[in-house]
Amino acid sequence: MSHSENELAELGAAFDANVAQEKKIEPKDWMPEAYRKTLVRQISQHAHSEIIGMQPEGNWISRAPTLRRKVGLLAKVQDEAGHGLYLYSAAETLGTSRDQMDADLLSGKAKYSSIFNYPTPTWADIGAIGWLIDGAAITNQIPICRCSYGPYARAMIRICKEESFHQRQGFEMMNTLCRGTAEQKRMAQDALNRWWWPSVMMFGPPDGASQHSDQNMAWRIKRFSNDELRQRYIDMTVRQADFLGLDIPDTDLKWNEESGHYDIGEIDWDEFWKVVKGDGPCNRQRLAHRTKAHDDGAWVREAAVAYSDKQRAKQRQHAA
């Protein structure tokens, strides 16, 4: 439905007023096309990250050291699959199909979190992912529970509850390793050494270099800037590392009395952009694995559609 310039101005003013008054924008409400596109990009990217993020942890399901650890890891990976489905469903309310989102991911057009392009060579990596990566995710995602778009905000409430449990699970795993043998503690330290800087990069480019951050905050899709969230995460995680008896791999790390925060060394943004652009340690492997899974599952999708068509045909016959 097309609108005149005056109508568009009125609709835009009403939209801005609703956002300013903290009213949720719902799927049937009018919204600027740029707002819709931004949400599709962000929500689908989040969904892709949950699905791709199953791979580095799924790598250890068959090799978990105990039955308890295997059950916990299975449950966590299952949670991540559910998070992806919640988020894809939220994105579909904006008029974009799951098929289109899948196609964008597999073609490389759509992105997912760069963090999942790093390998998991030891069991300690599973603990580090839970502690560091899910900890960073919670820091970033809790404010999204107050996102201006209703379906996204509501999906995030449950996701954050489960991510919080994942973070606690990862911290407990690292604590167990650190209280174990000297070799186990060295393994935990090695995992921290490899995951620390990628986890700090998870929050995205620094303020001023982020293409979408300011507008997302104006629309209240985001509530805090990348650097604000990154600082929260650093302050929280450094104290947790102290408790574990592990060393943050940053010789420039120090407490700043004036700011009341920890200062860190320079982030290697060249590495960040290299991974984002597809040249990280596992980029090709992750997409190849996802493409194979998508192709192998084609018969399931086709069977589901055929069954659905058959059921609708029966309903039409009964109605007639």
Side-chain angles (χ1 to χ4, degrees):
M1 178 180 177
S2 60
H3 297 280
S4 68
E5 289 187 12
N6 287 340
E7 288 173 329
L8 285 173
E10 291 175 3
L11 289 167
F15 172 85
D16 291 340
N18 286 335
V19 169
Q21 294 167 23
E22 300 289 350
K23 293 181 180 178
K24 294 299 183 204
I25 307 301
E26 300 296 342
K28 292 185 179 180
D29 294 341
W30 183 89
M31 63 189 75
E33 189 58 27
Y35 176 83
R36 183 188 304 276
K37 288 181 178 179
T38 294
L39 282 168
V40 170
R41 177 188 56 79
Q42 179 169 327
I43 299 172
S44 64
Q45 179 176 313
H46 190 169
H48 298 327
S49 299
E50 296 284 355
I51 299 302
I52 296 291
M54 297 164 64
Q55 292 186 39
E57 292 178 300
N59 176 44
W60 276 93
I61 289 175
S62 63
R63 297 181 289 159
T66 67
L67 179 60
R68 173 174 173 260
R69 294 300 189 193
K70 179 176 289 192
V71 170
L73 185 55
L74 276 167
K76 183 184 179 187
V77 172
Q78 183 179 23
D79 284 348
E80 289 163 350
H83 297 172
L85 292 176
Y86 302 153
L87 293 163
Y88 283 129
S89 296
E92 284 179 317
T93 66
L94 292 157
T96 298
S97 70
R98 173 70 181 272
D99 286 344
Q100 183 60 56
M101 288 184 276
D102 281 340
D104 289 344
L105 171 65
L106 299 177
S107 70
K109 178 181 177 182
K111 304 298 182 184
Y112 56 89
S113 178
S114 60
I115 195 70
F116 298 117
N117 289 310
Y118 291 87
T120 50
T122 74
W123 173 251
D125 289 276
I126 305 305
I129 287 175
W131 170 38
L132 298 172
I133 308 315
D134 292 325
I138 292 165
T139 305
N140 188 49
Q141 293 170 11
I142 284 178
I144 302 177
C145 294
R146 296 188 290 127
C147 170
S148 59
Y149 188 59
Y152 192 20
R154 290 188 287 272
M156 289 311 303
I157 292 172
R158 177 168 179 173
I159 289 173
C160 284
K161 288 179 180 179
E162 293 178 349
E163 292 287 10
S164 179
F165 183 81
H166 297 167
Q167 192 273 343
R168 290 169 182 264
Q169 181 186 48
F171 185 81
E172 186 271 336
M173 291 168 67
M174 294 294 279
N175 192 39
T176 299
L177 290 170
C178 290
R179 302 295 181 267
T181 66
E183 183 180 357
Q184 287 173 323
K185 186 168 184 179
R186 283 195 297 271
M187 189 166 65
Q189 181 66 61
D190 173 66
L192 172 58
N193 291 346
R194 287 182 287 105
W195 288 98
W196 169 251
W197 288 109
S199 74
V200 171
M201 296 177 197
M202 270 184 73
F203 296 91
D207 296 350
S210 177
Q211 182 180 355
H212 306 285
S213 187
D214 290 344
Q215 183 60 74
N216 286 356
M217 290 177 68
W219 280 330
R220 302 194 183 180
I221 296 172
K222 287 184 65 171
R223 296 283 175 160
F224 303 98
S225 73
N226 294 349
D227 285 342
E228 287 176 306
L229 293 169
R230 193 180 348 264
Q231 189 65 62
R232 288 186 183 187
Y233 170 73
I234 291 165
D235 291 344
M236 172 184 71
T237 309
V238 169
R239 294 184 177 95
Q240 293 171 349
D242 286 342
F243 177 85
L244 293 172
L246 297 175
D247 297 321
I248 298 292
D250 180 1
T251 56
D252 294 324
L253 177 71
K254 63 180 183 297
W255 176 254
N256 187 320
E257 290 288 351
E258 292 184 8
S259 67
H261 298 289
Y262 283 97
D263 292 337
I264 65 169
E266 187 174 351
I267 298 172
D268 185 354
W269 291 113
D270 288 340
E271 178 187 341
F272 172 79
W273 289 115
K274 179 180 176 181
V275 177
V276 167
K277 292 175 181 178
D279 198 21
C282 298
N283 286 68
R284 295 170 184 81
Q285 175 186 333
R286 299 289 184 243
L287 270 183
H289 187 282
R290 181 64 196 136
T291 299
K292 183 178 185 302
H294 184 268
D295 292 344
D296 290 348
W299 70 271
V300 179
R301 297 190 297 276
E302 291 166 3
V305 170
Y307 178 79
S308 178
D309 290 344
K310 185 177 180 180
Q311 292 301 108
R312 280 196 291 269
K314 284 184 178 180
Q315 291 173 356
R316 286 194 294 269
Q317 286 179 351
H318 288 311

